[in-house]
Amino acid sequence: MPDQSPHDNLQTQVADQIRALISDLNQHDCSAQALAKAASLVTQAREVLDGPLRLRWYEVDVDVDDKTAKQLSAQNRDHSLIQGQHNPLAPPVTMSTETRPDGSALIVGTACLGLEREGPPRSVHGGMVAAIFDAVLAGVLTTAGATSSVTGKLTVRYRRPTPINTDLRFEAWVEHHQGRRLTARAQCLVNGEVTAEAEALFISLDMRSMGSA
């Protein structure tokens, strides 16, 4: 991950504290007095967090230079629902790229999910597993030159419970790519053991038209 600016570091710090707050609220049976005080402090924090609304990349109507384009791309990643360091709702998942034995790219996502994302006892909620699969599978689009694509179909097979509070490794790779359609596969591993598998169909679209009012 590239070095963050002081401003970005502060955004990450705030998001990390909110993530910790969500975890604390999920795990602790707090008294009414403690909850009332917490609600007051959160209200104060929200009053401080004021400023102009952040433009999304698709809301910039004019052609931008390479520097601005990179900044918008970084903002989109930093605020991602799954891997965004600046998004308190994100786990977040750390993404990287490795190489498969045949020389093709392997997208890897790593995460450790706590009780606030629990489904079955001591296991990650299946919807959370599917959401991470969707994000990690989408990571293959860049390696295949198909970034302007959206998920058309996502199929997940749960082989066994995926444990919480455990290091998870998600792997994704391109299976087939022709024209506007790309198929990718992925698996979730715990200590080398597969807990779930997924397959996704991505379809190339005009992304900016989707963001128009």
Side-chain angles (χ1 to χ4, degrees):
M1 182 178 176
D3 292 337
Q4 291 188 326
S5 68
H7 182 271
D8 286 341
N9 279 328
L10 288 171
Q11 283 201 324
T12 298
Q13 289 178 34
V14 173
D16 285 344
Q17 288 299 318
I18 296 175
R19 273 189 280 268
L21 178 65
I22 292 172
S23 178
D24 291 341
L25 185 61
N26 176 270
Q27 295 185 55
H28 298 290
D29 187 9
C30 302
S31 67
Q33 181 180 8
L35 289 171
K37 183 176 181 180
S40 176
L41 292 171
V42 171
T43 298
Q44 292 178 46
R46 291 193 61 208
E47 291 172 350
V48 170
L49 294 176
D50 191 17
L53 293 179
R54 178 178 61 86
L55 287 178
R56 270 58 177 174
W57 64 269
Y58 53 82
E59 294 175 323
V60 179
D61 295 329
V62 297
D63 292 334
V64 296
D65 55 42
D66 289 343
K67 181 180 178 180
T68 303
K70 289 180 179 179
Q71 289 176 340
L72 291 171
S73 177
Q75 287 180 4
N76 185 56
R77 180 191 65 246
D78 290 339
H79 290 273
S80 160
L81 180 60
I82 301 300
Q83 59 176 313
Q85 294 285 342
H86 298 169
N87 188 340
L89 296 180
V93 176
T94 300
M95 306 280 277
S96 62
T97 303
E98 297 180 8
T99 304
R100 302 178 71 200
D102 63 2
S104 61
L106 179 74
I107 301 300
V108 177
T110 57
C112 182
L113 308 177
L115 279 166
E116 67 276 12
R117 305 186 192 278
E118 184 181 39
R122 301 181 182 84
S123 303
V124 180
H125 193 290
M128 191 71 231
V129 174
I132 296 177
F133 265 137
D134 189 37
V136 176
L137 282 158
V140 308
L141 299 177
T142 299
T143 67
T147 52
S148 296
S149 300
V150 296
T151 308
K153 182 179 180 181
L154 175 65
T155 304
V156 180
R157 180 181 180 184
Y158 301 97
R159 289 187 170 275
R160 53 185 54 83
T162 298
I164 57 172
N165 298 321
T166 302
D167 291 336
L168 309 178
R169 176 183 169 93
F170 291 79
E171 299 179 344
W173 60 93
V174 174
E175 189 77 7
H176 181 69
H177 184 197
Q178 183 175 9
R180 296 175 55 236
R181 300 164 69 91
L182 183 148
T183 301
R185 296 182 63 84
Q187 57 185 5
C188 173
L189 302 103
V190 176
N191 296 322
E193 182 179 19
V194 176
T195 64
E197 298 173 318
E199 180 176 288
L201 169 66
F202 294 99
I203 301 173
S204 176
L205 295 177
D206 181 355
M207 301 290 277
R208 282 190 177 274
S209 66
M210 294 177 62
S212 60

